[in-house]
Amino acid sequence: RSELEHLAQHDALTDLPNRALFDDRMSVALAAARRDNSQLALLFIDLDHFKKVNDTLGHSIGDRLLVDVAQRLQGCVRRMDTVARLGGDEFVVLLADTTREGAGEVARKVLDVLAQSCWLGEHELGVTPSLGISLYPQDGNDGETLLKHADAAMYRAKDKGRNAFEFYTSDINRGALENFLLENDLRQAIKLRPSALHSPPKPR
């Protein structure tokens, strides 16, 4: 039974906690933070250009790289913290009872540790991450909101050139909404006048 429970709660490739176990630990950490009036931080980590590794070297090398990254991430945190794999090349780190400065310190450590290349077979591979950070209580009161905001901050780090971390700020949501509305307007314009975008001008 305990082996089945472990399989149900852990990622099959990296043996890190999966989304279900991460959600449980997030609920426990949030309850403790509310009780103790403390902060917690969530780091959302996405590997830059990971698809290229899979496409050029194959999924088996990609999988070995993910296992290596998982081990390195675990070396960056305390025993009380949680490193989980959400799927693909997306990882999250839950830092209990921490501060903004503490979260920034861990983020810098992650960047430094992942910057060191590793040998997988005959391939020497380097990988860089983009990280987004959200904090309880200022960036959200529940796990879903904190995860969404950390994800949004991670995309800001990618937009700024990758291999970096960004803290969530409310203007990130504003910018994301403006981009969404702009894309939506463009889609509507294409639907209404598809020929207007690619037909050559008529001679006068």
Side-chain angles (χ1 to χ4, degrees):
R1 175 179 160 79
S2 60
E3 193 177 332
L4 284 174
E5 273 179 13
H6 184 89
L7 289 170
Q9 295 181 326
H10 290 78
D11 174 52
L13 177 66
T14 62
D15 204 40
L16 291 177
N18 61 15
R19 179 65 188 264
L21 182 54
F22 168 76
D23 286 345
D24 283 349
R25 291 194 182 171
M26 174 62 103
S27 298
V28 170
L30 281 168
R34 289 187 193 106
R35 186 187 65 235
D36 302 335
N37 198 25
S38 62
Q39 283 185 294
L40 63 80
L42 190 61
L43 279 63
F44 196 111
I45 302 165
D46 183 89
L47 303 182
D48 300 329
H49 307 301
F50 178 73
K51 187 175 180 295
K52 282 185 184 172
V53 175
N54 278 339
D55 290 349
T56 56
L57 300 176
H59 285 271
S60 63
I61 294 291
D63 285 351
R64 287 169 66 186
L65 181 59
L66 290 172
V67 171
D68 183 79
V69 166
Q71 290 168 349
R72 294 188 194 205
L73 290 177
Q74 285 177 297
C76 294
V77 300
R78 304 162 297 181
R79 290 189 65 160
M80 64 193 281
D81 301 321
T82 296
V83 179
R85 182 184 177 216
L86 298 185
D89 60 328
E90 292 181 340
F91 297 85
V92 283
V93 177
L94 172 61
L95 302 174
D97 191 16
T98 191
T99 59
R100 181 184 171 95
E101 292 74 26
E105 206 174 294
V106 172
R108 277 186 286 275
K109 198 186 288 187
V110 168
L111 291 174
D112 289 345
V113 164
L114 294 189
Q116 298 159 19
S117 57
C118 61
W119 281 94
L120 299 173
E122 73 250 30
H123 305 289
E124 185 181 10
L125 290 182
V127 65
T128 61
S130 294
L131 290 84
I133 305 171
S134 62
L135 298 162
Y136 167 86
Q138 52 266 59
D139 299 330
N141 285 310
D142 61 90
E144 193 178 334
T145 303
L146 289 167
L147 194 62
K148 185 176 76 176
H149 287 169
D151 186 26
M154 181 274 291
Y155 276 106
R156 169 69 65 89
K158 280 201 186 292
D159 287 344
K160 285 192 170 182
R162 306 172 193 266
N163 194 25
F165 68 89
E166 285 285 322
F167 283 94
Y168 173 78
T169 56
S170 56
D171 71 301
I172 287 177
N173 267 2
R174 254 198 316 277
L177 177 62
E178 285 166 10
N179 287 342
F180 170 77
L181 293 173
L182 181 63
E183 284 172 16
N184 191 57
D185 287 348
L186 282 169
R187 274 197 295 273
Q188 294 307 317
I190 290 166
K191 267 190 208 163
L192 292 171
R193 296 189 60 201
S195 59
L197 290 175
H198 50 72
S199 59
K202 290 177 181 165
R204 293 187 172 216

